[in-house]
């Protein structure tokens, strides 16, 4: 059973067109939710950790929020350099993460 | 601060062969985890090493094995390669076992023909 489901799988945005990515999870007793960014041919790069419902974190044009069942990654006025795959993950043990399949974002100039 | 480095970056092997992938953890990190990422998929947990001992294993067969050395670097060995083993193999290091963020290397792209 999938613990993490991300939608949409792929998204094409015009530069400046804000949007949101969704990550829903089914684990009980959440011990954190992680967002990573992955560029083609590279390893995932850590963005945020969220621990409790209502928590928000921001980094440049990205803002991550968390509810009891899902997390959103909001991209405000994206630029082409925001093009990447965004991965969501939850812990399923000591430091092992269960990842979703990712949201592939392409920002068109 | 030196990040996680992996070698080689690319590798082509034939079905049935054996392969060893290497990882140097980020300075100060004592935990290393290995993940397999198939094309278009999220990373899948293979196993984790903490202070040279295996500390958890995902749903991978015994032909996937590993080591962690006293300097916390690590190896992933895969025997009897199968076509489905073709993937990006990612190493991640972290400090301790408290769900601190994982720091990934750029991976080894393994192609099995």
């Amino acid at each position: 059973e999938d613990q993490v489901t991300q939608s949409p799988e792929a998204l094409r945005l015009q530069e400046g067109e804000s949007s949101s990515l969704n990550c829903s999870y089914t684990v009980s007793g959440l011990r954190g939710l992680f967002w990573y960014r992955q560029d083609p041919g590279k390893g995932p790069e850590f963005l945020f950790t969220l621990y409790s419902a209502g928590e928000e974190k921001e980094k440049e044009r990205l803002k991550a929020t968390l509810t009891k069942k899902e997390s959103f990654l909001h991209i405000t006025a994206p630029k082409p350099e925001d093009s990447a795959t965004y991965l969501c993950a939850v812990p399923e043990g000591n430091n092992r993460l269960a990842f979703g399949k990712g949201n592939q974002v392409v920002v068109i100039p | 601060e030196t990040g996680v480095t992996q070698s080689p970056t690319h590798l082509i092997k034939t079905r049935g062969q054996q392969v060893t992938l290497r990882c140097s953890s980020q300075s100060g990190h004592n935990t290393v985890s290995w993940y397999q990422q198939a094309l278009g998929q999220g990373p899948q947990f293979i196993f984790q090493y903490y202070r040279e001992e295996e500390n958890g294993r995902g749903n991978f067969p015994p032909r996937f094995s590993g080591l962690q050395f006293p300097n916390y670097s690590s190896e992933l060995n895969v025997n009897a390669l199968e076509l489905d083993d073709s993937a990006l193999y990612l190493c991640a290091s972290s400090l301790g076992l408290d769900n601190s963020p994982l720091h990934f290397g750029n991976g080894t792209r393994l192609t099995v023909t």
Side-chain angles (χ1 to χ4, degrees), chain A residues 31 34 36 38 41-44 46 49 51 87 91-97 99-101, chain B residues 33 35 37 41-43 45 48 56-57 88 90 94 96-97 99-102 104-106:
Chain A
R31 294 176 291 119
F34 297 81
Y36 285 83
Q38 187 173 26
K42 304 282 188 178
F46 171 71
T49 310
Y51 289 103
L87 295 165
E92 57 178 2
N94 285 337
N95 259 356
R96 70 170 76 178
L97 294 179
F99 283 87
K101 293 182 178 180
Chain B
S33 302
Y35 287 79
Q37 187 175 26
Q41 303 294 314
F45 176 75
Q48 179 187 83
R57 187 178 185 91
L88 181 67
L90 295 163
S94 57
L97 299 173
N99 283 326
S100 56
L102 300 181
F104 285 87
N106 284 328

Side-chain angles (χ1 to χ4, degrees), chain A residues 55-102:
Chain A
E55 188 175 359
E56 298 183 353
K57 288 193 176 173
E58 290 188 62
K59 180 179 181 179
E60 296 181 358
R61 293 173 294 281
L62 301 177
K63 183 170 78 172
T65 62
L66 182 66
T67 72
K68 289 185 178 180
K69 293 185 178 181
E70 57 192 349
S71 177
F72 293 94
L73 185 65
H74 308 277
I75 310 177
T76 302
K79 298 182 177 182
E81 52 262 43
D82 295 321
S83 298
T85 296
Y86 293 88
L87 295 165
C88 171
V90 297
E92 57 178 2
N94 285 337
N95 259 356
R96 70 170 76 178
L97 294 179
F99 283 87
K101 293 182 178 180

Side-chain angles (χ1 to χ4, degrees), chain B residues 7-79:
Chain B
S7 64
T9 55
H10 295 82
L11 201 53
I12 300 175
K13 288 286 190 179
T14 302
R15 189 171 52 183
Q17 287 186 316
Q18 178 266 343
V19 68
T20 298
L21 311 181
R22 295 180 174 82
C23 170
S24 293
S25 60
Q26 183 166 315
S27 177
H29 286 182
N30 55 14
T31 304
V32 172
S33 302
W34 286 91
Y35 287 79
Q36 180 196 66
Q37 187 175 26
L39 204 60
Q41 303 294 314
Q44 296 290 315
F45 176 75
I46 303 175
F47 43 56
Q48 179 187 83
Y49 280 84
Y50 173 64
R51 294 184 175 179
E52 303 178 59
E53 297 288 330
E54 185 177 293
N55 180 54
R57 187 178 185 91
N59 189 26
F60 281 82
R63 58 190 185 84
F64 285 77
S65 63
L67 285 173
Q68 187 180 32
F69 300 100
N71 66 354
Y72 303 129
S73 66
S74 179
E75 287 183 355
L76 164 66
N77 299 289
V78 186
N79 294 321

